[in-house]
Amino acid sequence: DIDMFRFTVPQKATVRIESTGAIDTKGALYDSSRRLIAKDEDAGEGSNFRISVGLNPGTYYLQVQGFSAAVTGDYAIKTGVN
């Protein structure tokens, strides 16, 4: 199961995106051309991902999935600006 989220950054910023929850997640961040910017599996708490990266204004896509095809369940996404 793969979830995709689209979001817009209005001005240059260092953005932090992380998952929370009991399932083992991995995340990948793409630009508007769908080029990979960053990915992570376990930098967050427990088995959650955390991506922290400087972004220019524009549209971005976050892909979230379980660590393996057998991993599904509820999770939440937290965002922030450093």
Side-chain angles (χ1 to χ4, degrees):
D1 193 21
I2 298 174
D3 297 321
M4 291 292 287
F5 302 93
R6 184 180 75 179
F7 64 97
T8 302
V9 175
Q11 61 189 26
K12 189 173 183 174
T14 300
V15 177
R16 185 181 64 258
I17 306 166
E18 57 190 305
S19 62
T20 61
I23 67 167
D24 190 352
T25 57
K26 58 184 177 180
L29 182 63
Y30 297 89
D31 67 12
S32 60
S33 297
R34 306 288 170 105
R35 287 181 295 224
L36 180 65
I37 296 171
K39 63 181 178 177
D40 183 69
E41 290 182 21
D42 294 325
E45 291 185 31
S47 295
N48 290 286
F49 75 85
R50 178 184 298 135
I51 296 172
S52 183
V53 64
L55 298 176
N56 289 317
T59 300
Y60 296 89
Y61 298 89
L62 176 67
Q63 175 182 307
V64 180
Q65 65 188 102
F67 177 74
S68 70
V71 176
T72 62
D74 294 331
Y75 65 89
I77 300 294
K78 292 186 343 184
T79 61
V81 177
N82 293 341

